[in-house]
Amino acid sequence: MFGGLRQWIDPEKTPTVGRAPDYRFSLANERTFLAWIRTGLALVAGGLGCAQFLPPLPITYLREIIAVALLVLGGIVALRAVDHWARTERAMRLGEELPGSKFPALLAVIVALGALLLIVAVLLQSPR
């Protein structure tokens, strides 16, 4: 576990494995990592925005639950981004098949469920 964590923080100190992949693939891996980081930052910004600007909702603590859920999800996305980047880089160096992940589908389901929750909250709050 700590070896993997060390590779996240300081990849140059860990022993390199395999051969250096084509730099275009490494750069593509890095662009994917940065896209996931942007997603994580957007979720964190959304969580802070909910906490600061969303008016109180008809369900007690719903605003706080939404804000905390977005903040936690943003943190998880950031951690998942670096883990996937490290595993992909290692697989490319070893000439192995790239690691698969169910995380994008899981994140899509969570975002869709969050959107449904917000739709219900908006409908409950709207004047009739």
Side-chain angles (χ1 to χ4, degrees):
M1 177 180 168
F2 293 114
L5 188 59
R6 185 183 320 151
Q7 187 179 0
W8 288 5
I9 296 169
D10 195 5
E12 292 182 3
K13 295 261 173 146
T14 59
T16 55
V17 294
R19 296 180 28 214
D22 186 337
Y23 69 91
R24 294 173 291 179
F25 299 126
S26 289
L27 294 174
N29 188 28
E30 190 172 311
R31 284 191 298 272
T32 303
F33 165 75
L34 293 173
W36 279 108
I37 290 296
R38 284 192 298 272
T39 302
L41 286 173
L43 289 166
V44 168
L48 289 175
C50 284
Q52 292 297 315
F53 302 115
L54 201 62
L57 297 173
I59 301 171
T60 309
Y61 297 117
L62 180 59
R63 179 179 64 178
E64 289 78 11
I65 291 170
I66 292 169
V68 169
L70 288 172
L71 291 169
V72 168
L73 193 57
I76 290 171
V77 166
L79 290 175
R80 187 268 177 195
V82 71
D83 179 60
H84 189 74
W85 170 81
R87 289 186 302 125
T88 301
E89 191 71 21
R90 181 176 173 84
M92 287 191 305
R93 287 184 159 275
L94 295 174
E96 296 175 349
E97 196 165 315
L98 297 181
S101 176
K102 296 176 182 170
F103 188 77
L106 181 65
L107 181 63
V109 168
I110 291 171
V111 169
L113 290 175
L116 280 175
L117 182 66
L118 288 175
I119 289 169
V120 170
V122 167
L123 291 175
L124 288 176
Q125 191 176 18
S126 66
R128 297 178 187 198

